[in-house]
Amino acid sequence: MAGWIKLHRKITENLIWEDKPFSKGQAWIDLILMANHNPAKLIYGNSIIELDRGQFHTSEPTLMRRWGWSKKKVRAYFLLLKKLEMATAQGNTKGTTVTIENYELYQSMGTEQDTDEDNLKVPRRNRKGTAEGKQTRTKEEQKKK
């Protein structure tokens, strides 16, 4: 499957979303929904935590309540995500900073057309039917097609 769908963060307010315990897939989508879409700063006590796009700050107890999981299950899940190179969780006394690896893959700032691999290879045409931008296909690729 290719492409993407729009998914508003407000989905987390839906009764069906709140059903516990979460599945692994639901927890993954929840992590993406919680991630910052822009860099941000968070004041925690007298410290400032700087977060990049694709990161957010939370705690294990918060995720345990949110997902209806035990501490052991939350920790095991983050170990799995790390092995799969999907997300990392860096904990300290101020909580846990979660980083969604390849956040741009899931939340590109472009449009549906921008994320479609075939459309990235073919130059777009303006109203006159002429190609805009650089042509990325080589002559060999064109011959094959």
PDB file of all heavy atoms in Angstrom, residues 2 42 52 64 67 69 99:
ATOM      1  N   ALA A   2       0.440   2.236  -0.700  1.00  0.00           N
ATOM      2  CA  ALA A   2       1.206   3.473  -0.782  1.00  0.00           C
ATOM      3  C   ALA A   2       0.318   4.650  -0.417  1.00  0.00           C
ATOM      4  O   ALA A   2      -0.898   4.533  -0.365  1.00  0.00           O
ATOM      5  CB  ALA A   2       1.760   3.648  -2.196  1.00  0.00           C
ATOM      6  N   LEU A  42       9.914  22.898  26.468  1.00  0.00           N
ATOM      7  CA  LEU A  42       9.057  22.536  27.582  1.00  0.00           C
ATOM      8  C   LEU A  42       9.753  22.933  28.873  1.00  0.00           C
ATOM      9  O   LEU A  42      10.932  22.627  29.062  1.00  0.00           O
ATOM     10  CB  LEU A  42       8.811  21.018  27.548  1.00  0.00           C
ATOM     11  CG  LEU A  42       8.082  20.381  28.708  1.00  0.00           C
ATOM     12  CD1 LEU A  42       6.626  20.825  28.721  1.00  0.00           C
ATOM     13  CD2 LEU A  42       8.156  18.870  28.591  1.00  0.00           C
ATOM     14  N   ASP A  52      12.654  18.339  19.356  1.00  0.00           N
ATOM     15  CA  ASP A  52      12.651  18.492  17.910  1.00  0.00           C
ATOM     16  C   ASP A  52      11.325  18.007  17.340  1.00  0.00           C
ATOM     17  O   ASP A  52      10.534  17.358  18.032  1.00  0.00           O
ATOM     18  CB  ASP A  52      13.787  17.662  17.283  1.00  0.00           C
ATOM     19  CG  ASP A  52      15.158  18.197  17.648  1.00  0.00           C
ATOM     20  OD1 ASP A  52      15.299  19.428  17.799  1.00  0.00           O
ATOM     21  OD2 ASP A  52      16.086  17.378  17.786  1.00  0.00           O
ATOM     22  N   MET A  64       1.207   4.349  30.786  1.00  0.00           N
ATOM     23  CA  MET A  64       0.536   3.204  31.397  1.00  0.00           C
ATOM     24  C   MET A  64      -0.969   3.490  31.527  1.00  0.00           C
ATOM     25  O   MET A  64      -1.798   2.652  31.159  1.00  0.00           O
ATOM     26  CB  MET A  64       1.138   2.914  32.780  1.00  0.00           C
ATOM     27  CG  MET A  64       2.541   2.328  32.726  1.00  0.00           C
ATOM     28  SD  MET A  64       3.426   2.393  34.313  1.00  0.00           S
ATOM     29  CE  MET A  64       2.281   1.603  35.416  1.00  0.00           C
ATOM     30  N   TRP A  67      -2.661   3.927  27.876  1.00  0.00           N
ATOM     31  CA  TRP A  67      -2.808   2.712  27.071  1.00  0.00           C
ATOM     32  C   TRP A  67      -3.439   1.552  27.838  1.00  0.00           C
ATOM     33  O   TRP A  67      -3.771   0.533  27.233  1.00  0.00           O
ATOM     34  CB  TRP A  67      -1.446   2.266  26.545  1.00  0.00           C
ATOM     35  CG  TRP A  67      -0.792   3.255  25.625  1.00  0.00           C
ATOM     36  CD1 TRP A  67      -1.379   4.304  24.980  1.00  0.00           C
ATOM     37  CD2 TRP A  67       0.584   3.280  25.250  1.00  0.00           C
ATOM     38  NE1 TRP A  67      -0.449   4.984  24.234  1.00  0.00           N
ATOM     39  CE2 TRP A  67       0.770   4.376  24.374  1.00  0.00           C
ATOM     40  CE3 TRP A  67       1.681   2.494  25.576  1.00  0.00           C
ATOM     41  CZ2 TRP A  67       1.998   4.693  23.807  1.00  0.00           C
ATOM     42  CZ3 TRP A  67       2.907   2.804  25.019  1.00  0.00           C
ATOM     43  CH2 TRP A  67       3.061   3.895  24.136  1.00  0.00           C
ATOM     44  N   TRP A  69      -1.801  -0.270  30.111  1.00  0.00           N
ATOM     45  CA  TRP A  69      -0.741  -1.268  30.156  1.00  0.00           C
ATOM     46  C   TRP A  69      -0.006  -1.208  31.490  1.00  0.00           C
ATOM     47  O   TRP A  69      -0.026  -0.204  32.185  1.00  0.00           O
ATOM     48  CB  TRP A  69       0.275  -1.019  29.050  1.00  0.00           C
ATOM     49  CG  TRP A  69      -0.197  -1.291  27.651  1.00  0.00           C
ATOM     50  CD1 TRP A  69      -1.448  -1.653  27.244  1.00  0.00           C
ATOM     51  CD2 TRP A  69       0.584  -1.188  26.468  1.00  0.00           C
ATOM     52  NE1 TRP A  69      -1.491  -1.792  25.887  1.00  0.00           N
ATOM     53  CE2 TRP A  69      -0.243  -1.511  25.378  1.00  0.00           C
ATOM     54  CE3 TRP A  69       1.909  -0.856  26.217  1.00  0.00           C
ATOM     55  CZ2 TRP A  69       0.198  -1.516  24.066  1.00  0.00           C
ATOM     56  CZ3 TRP A  69       2.350  -0.859  24.909  1.00  0.00           C
ATOM     57  CH2 TRP A  69       1.508  -1.195  23.851  1.00  0.00           C
ATOM     58  N   THR A  99      11.349   9.746  20.803  1.00  0.00           N
ATOM     59  CA  THR A  99      11.696  10.203  19.459  1.00  0.00           C
ATOM     60  C   THR A  99      11.137   9.211  18.450  1.00  0.00           C
ATOM     61  O   THR A  99      11.467   8.022  18.501  1.00  0.00           O
ATOM     62  CB  THR A  99      13.229  10.302  19.280  1.00  0.00           C
ATOM     63  OG1 THR A  99      13.749  11.188  20.273  1.00  0.00           O
ATOM     64  CG2 THR A  99      13.595  10.790  17.896  1.00  0.00           C
TER      65      THR A  99
END
